[in-house]
Amino acid sequence: MEKIVILTGAGISAESGLGTFRDEGGLWSQHRIEDVATPEGFARDPALVQGFYNARRAQAAGARPNAAHEALARLQRDWPGEVVIVTQNVDALHEAGGADGVLHMHGTLSGALCGACGHRWVAPEEMAVGEPCPACARPAARPDVVWFGEMPYYMDEIFAHLSGAGIFAAIGTSGQVYPAAGFVEEARQAGAHCVEMSLEPSAVVTRFHETRQGRATETVPAWVAELLERAG
Ligand code: APR
C-alpha cells in the first residue's frame, strides 16, 4: 500500500483552541514576527520572547487533541503502509491524539535549547530570562522552536520520506512559509497523489490534485475513513 506523508499546520489545532498565525486575529496580527520569532528579536528583548512562548506553552498545556488529530493517529495504526506525520506545529496535540514518530520541523514548545552549547532538555512551564543551561550553566536557555532565518529540523529525513510518497496530504497550512510550502513539489516529483485540506485555499492550492475545503475535524476524519475503506 502507498506510503502516506502528511504535513500539518496551525489549522489542524485551531479547533482545539490554539490560534493560527495568519487567520483573522491570528498570532501575527497580535505580535510582530521580527519581535518574537527571530534570533534578533530574542537578542533584543529576551523577556518579550520568553513571555510569548510561556503564554503559548500554557495555552497548549490546556488544549485537547481534536477529531482530526485522532483520525491521523487511526490512519497511522490501521493503514497497511507507512504513514509519516510532519508538522509545522510546536504543540503536542498529534502525540496526545495517539500519533507517533511525529517530525516537528519547527521544534516544540516542550523543548528547551541552550543557545551557547546546544544542549536540549525538557522546558519548564515558564522559562525565565537568563535561565541557566543544565549542562554548561550559562544563562542561554531559549525555547527549542525554529525561528525565521533558522534551519528547520529533520529536513533530510522529510525529503527522503517525500521521495517515496504515494499520497501527500497538507492539512491546515496556508502554504506561505518555505520549505514546508514546497513539499507538494517534492511529492509531485515522486508521483504522489496530493490532497490539500484547509479552511481556505492555501497559497499553493493549484499544485494539489485534490482539495477538500472545510474544518479539519470534518474533512480529516472523512478522508481517513475513505482511505481505510479502500484499504479493506
Ligand atoms: N480547519 C482546517 N484548516 C483551518 C482551520 C480549521 N478549523 N482554521 C484555519 N485553517 C487553515 C487556514 O485556512 C490556513 O490555511 O489553517 C491555515 C493556517 O495558516 P497559518 O496561520 O499561516 O499557519 P501555518 O500555515 O501553520 O504557518 C506556517 O508559519 O509563522 C510560521 O512557524 C510558523 O509553523 C508556522 C508557519
Side-chain angles (χ1 to χ4, degrees):
M1 263 312 191
E2 303 101 318
K3 172 173 185 170
I4 302 177
V5 179
I6 297 162
L7 170 69
T8 63
I12 198 170
S13 296
E15 291 164 87
S16 294
L18 298 186
T20 61
F21 295 95
R22 294 173 184 82
D23 289 322
E24 188 65 31
L27 282 169
W28 296 151
S29 66
Q30 303 159 36
H31 307 273
R32 287 171 2 120
I33 286 178
E34 51 277 27
D35 290 344
V36 294
T38 62
E40 298 76 14
F42 183 61
R44 196 168 46 245
D45 187 347
L48 176 73
V49 176
Q50 294 288 17
F52 175 66
Y53 286 96
N54 287 338
R56 293 182 64 195
R57 201 172 289 113
Q59 198 196 21
R64 305 280 314 124
N66 62 49
H69 298 108
E70 288 162 353
L72 294 186
R74 186 163 53 252
L75 184 65
Q76 266 192 333
R77 245 192 338 269
D78 300 343
W79 181 253
E82 191 181 1
V83 177
V84 178
I85 299 172
V86 179
T87 188
Q88 299 170 92
N89 300 339
V90 291
D91 63 58
L93 293 178
H94 280 300
E95 292 84 352
D100 351 288
V102 178
L103 298 176
H104 284 269
M105 64 181 288
H106 289 167
T108 61
L109 284 172
S110 59
L113 168 67
C114 176
C117 76
H119 178 64
R120 285 185 164 84
W121 67 100
V122 177
E125 284 285 298
E126 293 260 319
M127 193 183 282
V129 173
E131 178 115 4
C133 165
C136 76
R138 277 173 279 184
R142 55 168 278 187
D144 190 9
V145 169
V146 177
W147 286 327
F148 285 88
E150 296 182 326
M151 180 56 79
Y153 296 151
Y154 308 110
M155 292 310 293
D156 294 344
E157 200 174 338
I158 292 169
F159 283 118
H161 285 309
L162 289 168
S163 65
I167 296 172
F168 173 69
I171 301 172
T173 181
S174 62
Q176 295 185 51
V177 176
Y178 285 80
F183 289 174
V184 63
E185 296 307 328
E186 303 296 321
R188 287 176 66 98
Q189 294 284 330
H193 173 74
C194 301
V195 52
E196 175 177 281
M197 284 167 265
S198 181
L199 197 57
E200 301 297 329
S202 78
V204 289
V205 66
T206 56
R207 306 303 290 155
F208 287 79
H209 304 106
E210 183 190 356
T211 60
R212 296 176 178 226
Q213 200 166 329
R215 291 148 39 112
T217 54
E218 283 151 23
T219 57
V220 179
W223 176 67
V224 167
E226 280 172 36
L227 282 172
L228 294 180
E229 177 71 26
R230 175 154 76 80

